[in-house]
Amino acid sequence: VGELVINGTPPNLKEIILPELRTMTLGLKINDWKSAVERISLPKATEIGTLVCKSSALTTLSAPRLVTLGSLDLVSGNLTTNGDGESPLTTLSLPELSSSEGSISISELPQLSELRMPNLVRTGAFMTSRLMLLKELDLSRLERVDQELKLDFYLYNSKNTALTELRLPALKSVGSRLSIRAAHGLPSISLPELEQSKEFWIMESSALQKIEWSNKPKHIPTLAFDEIDLAGTVDLSGIE
């Protein structure tokens, strides 16, 4: 199929199950915030152009064989000032996804605790925001982000203290900015293979004590530490 678009709010549509579908050239788009879709299952899909879901009822997104994705945009939940929302989604796992030519954007999922893309090697951009309960982020094979890599947990006066480990063991390059904001449970950040990024910003991370990276030459024109207490060490000797 080329594209499946759901723009209205059919009240009885709670599941989208396409058991034999293998490719969606343009993709799947659920554009209405009032959508009642709770489950999306694409068990044999290997290639999807764009996957957009704005349903605040979404609990399960299953695409276990997905290898190629144009872009991913998950924006669910109605936020209030204390960070509580409507989306019950707790786990997002795309175990076979290896590349995304566009952007991967995941935001406003207040119950999301696990985000796993263990085979993702390259993406155009990767952005998260307002994931207040996220405690596990698996991007263990990510090597290249062509544009921005943004991990932003800020939400008014709320803090994410659940994420206590951030390791990007294969990351070599970020085309524009690499930024980490308001991850208040992180004692260390591990970037052992990082060689270049136009900007590297760490903001509002009160528990941070150490940045781990190798002695490989690193090309980072802009490096910023903003509102952190950093009681430990950051070795800058490898930065040219």
Side-chain angles (χ1 to χ4, degrees):
V1 67
E3 185 175 39
L4 173 59
V5 180
I6 300 172
N7 283 321
T9 55
N12 296 320
L13 182 61
K14 295 186 176 181
E15 296 187 339
I16 298 174
I17 303 173
L18 304 171
E20 298 298 325
L21 184 72
R22 287 166 172 77
T23 61
M24 301 182 81
T25 310
L26 297 176
L28 171 64
K29 299 177 183 178
I30 301 172
N31 290 325
D32 201 310
W33 295 94
K34 297 179 181 179
S35 170
V37 172
E38 298 175 355
R39 178 186 177 202
I40 301 172
S41 178
L42 308 167
K44 292 186 179 180
T46 59
E47 180 180 352
I48 297 177
T50 297
L51 180 53
V52 176
C53 182
K54 297 183 179 179
S55 171
S56 62
L58 186 69
T59 62
T60 304
L61 168 61
S62 176
R65 297 186 184 181
L66 187 64
V67 174
T68 304
L69 176 67
S71 63
L72 172 66
D73 189 356
L74 292 182
V75 183
S76 299
N78 300 313
L79 293 179
T80 62
T81 55
N82 64 5
D84 294 332
E86 301 298 327
S87 174
L89 188 69
T90 60
T91 301
L92 175 59
S93 178
L94 298 172
E96 298 299 323
L97 180 65
S98 63
S99 67
S100 172
E101 293 298 322
S103 64
I104 296 176
S105 176
I106 303 163
S107 63
E108 302 186 18
L109 295 168
Q111 301 302 317
L112 190 71
S113 63
E114 299 174 6
L115 176 56
R116 304 191 193 105
M117 299 182 186
N119 281 305
L120 182 66
V121 175
R122 178 185 176 186
T123 181
F126 189 95
M127 295 171 285
T128 69
S129 65
R130 301 183 179 184
L131 304 182
M132 305 312 297
L133 295 183
L134 188 70
K135 65 179 181 180
E136 180 180 339
L137 177 64
D138 186 351
L139 298 171
S140 52
R141 293 190 62 191
L142 183 63
E143 294 181 6
R144 176 178 170 182
V145 180
D146 296 329
Q147 300 168 32
E148 183 178 15
L149 173 55
K150 176 183 179 182
L151 305 175
D152 190 344
F153 301 97
Y154 177 77
L155 177 60
Y156 308 110
N157 293 319
S158 300
K159 296 180 179 180
N160 179 314
T161 58
L163 187 68
T164 57
E165 181 180 62
L166 178 58
R167 298 182 67 253
L168 299 171
L171 185 66
K172 294 181 179 179
S173 68
V174 178
S176 60
R177 177 185 294 181
L178 192 168
S179 64
I180 302 164
R181 183 186 186 195
H184 288 278
L186 276 182
S188 66
I189 298 171
S190 179
L191 302 161
E193 297 296 320
L194 185 66
E195 296 176 3
Q196 64 181 16
S197 177
K198 284 188 177 180
E199 299 181 24
F200 182 22
W201 286 26
I202 300 179
M203 297 166 282
E204 303 168 45
S205 298
S206 57
L208 186 65
Q209 296 193 23
K210 188 175 183 181
I211 299 176
E212 301 174 351
W213 47 23
S214 70
N215 290 322
K216 292 183 178 182
K218 288 173 279 293
H219 304 276
I220 305 175
T222 299
L223 178 64
F225 301 95
D226 186 6
E227 296 186 43
I228 65 173
D229 296 330
L230 197 62
T233 60
V234 180
D235 184 358
L236 303 180
S237 61
I239 296 178
E240 295 183 354

